[in-house]
Amino acid sequence: MSNKIIIVNRLNWIDWAKTIAILFVVFGHIPEKNGSFGIYYTYLFHMPLFFFISGFLTKKEYFCSTTLKKYWHTLIIPYFCYNIVFYPYWTVKHIIDFPNAGWFDFIKPLIGTVLLQLSTPISVCLNGVTWFIAALLVMKIILSICNNHKYGLRFMTILAILAALLYIYNEHYRLYTNFPLVGFVRCLPYFFIGYLCNQNNIIQKRPQKKDYFICIAGITISLIACTYGRTSNGLIAFGIYSWIISIAAIGGLLSFCKLLDKVHLSIIDNVSIGTVVIMGLHWILIGVTNFTLQKLLHISNIVYPLWVAIALTLLFTTIIYPVILFFKNNYPFMLGKQSTKVQTDNTSNVNTPFI
């Protein structure tokens, strides 16, 4: 029996949104000049956008053995698979960078993987970008537990507000920099907002005329806010500007994607289906490229101009694209899929938060 994934009646604009979101993620990980407008602007919304979409695609689930089994197939297995794939690359690079490393150094990334990419005295990040999968797993578990209780959504609301305040305070004063935890508190509110938007039909699932206005207004407001926000001082100003930029950019980009709803391309479908593959593999391509150029150019750290970063984003996605097709036809679990199944709508999908 073929493992090929058959998908029908998807919301095309969601596929566009996920494709754009993952491109921003790759772009955000390519080193550019510190302080550049593109890096600052992208950093403020690219992961919130991805978590917002993940929340939007999350059904109302209840914490039980069936839910845990689903998370095992759609999140836990991909998380460990992409860290296992990454380990040989990490080992070779570590040997080159630290030829006298002790044996325990090679155990630390394995412990770090179990600790969801946390860096501690006994652990280091392995495939650090997979913190997204780990964070999403924790968020979905918390949400499903809250759904089991009468006042669960109130608790989730309070938790999201506290997470937003904690992130703003920590980010402004730079008190703690361990990114998996910082990323979790940063993105939890957006995941929950996305979930509420779908549950309460706040975002229409079909394009409307007002999307033209929302698209232009959202992107314009986010760019203006970023221009002024990056030079502002003070905790409150940082919090206000960061949220204005994120919410406006998310709203503008989602409306832009809804305007593209009639443009149906199979490559967009496949990139959308394979976002977890791009998430899991792009860090290797960036690392190999950076290392090779640093050796050839005899420099310690490399940064790229904007146009090169954009070109590399498209190049790395193109390189990974055949891998997505291969996994789609042969190993769907690498896409966060349980098994061959015909799916009817990616807003009601029960298999994975990515498709």
Side-chain angles (χ1 to χ4, degrees):
M1 179 178 178
S2 173
N3 285 327
K4 186 175 181 179
I5 301 170
I6 304 172
I7 303 173
V8 296
N9 296 332
R10 293 172 65 87
L11 291 181
N12 189 45
W13 69 270
I14 286 289
D15 290 323
W16 276 101
K18 291 177 59 192
T19 298
I20 291 174
I22 195 63
L23 290 176
F24 271 119
V25 169
V26 177
F27 173 79
H29 287 152
I30 296 174
E32 294 183 64
K33 184 179 178 180
N34 289 334
S36 68
F37 183 88
I39 283 292
Y40 184 82
Y41 181 65
T42 302
Y43 172 78
L44 286 176
F45 79 85
H46 74 306
M47 289 313 298
L49 171 63
F50 218 109
F51 275 92
F52 182 95
I53 295 172
S54 297
F56 186 80
L57 297 178
T58 297
K59 288 191 66 176
K60 187 173 184 179
E61 301 166 332
Y62 299 93
F63 189 76
C64 61
S65 59
T66 301
T67 301
L68 287 177
K69 182 179 179 181
K70 187 188 76 169
Y71 294 163
W72 171 260
H73 288 283
T74 61
L75 291 168
I76 298 175
I77 290 179
Y79 171 78
F80 281 105
C81 283
Y82 287 109
N83 277 280
I84 291 171
V85 169
F86 195 87
Y87 186 68
Y89 162 77
W90 184 95
T91 300
V92 172
K93 186 175 184 303
H94 194 75
I95 291 174
I96 294 174
D97 292 338
F98 305 98
N100 297 319
W103 66 269
F104 190 68
D105 284 351
F106 299 94
I107 304 298
K108 285 184 177 181
L110 302 180
I111 299 175
T113 299
V114 175
L115 295 180
L116 307 183
Q117 305 305 320
L118 284 177
S119 294
T120 71
I122 63 168
S123 67
V124 296
C125 287
L126 182 51
N127 190 354
V129 294
T130 59
W131 75 268
F132 165 82
I133 304 175
L136 186 57
L137 170 66
V138 176
M139 291 178 192
K140 290 173 76 69
I141 289 175
I142 293 174
L143 180 60
S144 65
I145 292 174
C146 288
N147 286 334
N148 283 356
H149 300 280
K150 180 179 180 180
Y151 299 106
L153 286 185
R154 294 183 185 180
F155 174 80
M156 191 71 185
T157 301
I158 295 173
L159 184 63
I161 293 173
L162 290 176
L165 295 176
L166 178 61
Y167 167 73
I168 291 170
Y169 186 84
N170 182 76
E171 183 70 9
H172 180 72
Y173 291 109
R174 296 286 180 174
L175 300 177
Y176 187 75
T177 59
N178 200 315
F179 195 75
L181 288 178
V182 175
F184 176 84
V185 297
R186 176 193 179 197
C187 295
L188 174 63
Y190 298 97
F191 170 81
F192 186 52
I193 292 172
Y195 171 78
L196 291 179
C197 284
N198 189 19
Q199 292 297 310
N200 296 284
N201 295 316
I202 295 175
I203 297 179
Q204 297 297 319
K205 295 183 175 64
R206 297 301 172 189
Q208 297 180 317
K209 291 183 179 180
K210 66 180 180 180
D211 286 313
Y212 288 97
F213 171 77
I214 297 175
C215 172
I216 296 173
I219 294 176
T220 301
I221 290 172
S222 66
L223 288 171
I224 293 174
C226 184
T227 301
Y228 289 96
R230 63 195 299 241
T231 59
S232 64
N233 295 314
L235 177 65
I236 297 177
F238 171 77
I240 293 174
Y241 275 116
S242 63
W243 267 84
I244 290 176
I245 294 167
S246 297
I247 294 298
I250 290 171
L253 287 171
L254 290 181
S255 288
F256 173 73
C257 292
K258 290 172 75 174
L259 298 176
L260 295 174
D261 190 62
K262 293 184 179 180
V263 182
H264 192 279
L265 302 173
S266 60
I267 189 172
I268 299 299
D269 293 345
N270 289 323
V271 171
S272 174
I273 292 168
T275 50
V276 68
V277 184
I278 298 174
M279 185 72 73
L281 298 181
H282 77 277
W283 195 242
I284 296 177
L285 298 179
I286 293 175
V288 170
T289 301
N290 292 346
F291 179 80
T292 302
L293 291 177
Q294 286 169 186
K295 293 300 181 182
L296 291 176
L297 300 176
H298 304 287
I299 56 178
S300 57
N301 291 294
I302 189 167
V303 294
Y304 302 99
L306 177 62
W307 70 270
V308 174
I310 294 173
L312 288 175
T313 298
L314 298 176
L315 174 63
F316 296 151
T317 306
T318 301
I319 292 172
I320 297 174
Y321 186 76
V323 181
I324 295 173
L325 298 181
F326 178 73
F327 288 159
K328 176 183 175 182
N329 293 323
N330 298 280
Y331 302 102
F333 68 89
M334 295 295 286
L335 303 173
K337 305 285 295 181
Q338 293 187 41
S339 60
T340 303
K341 180 172 287 190
V342 176
Q343 296 175 14
T344 58
D345 190 325
N346 57 5
T347 62
S348 61
N349 180 279
V350 295
N351 285 322
T352 168
F354 297 101
I355 65 175

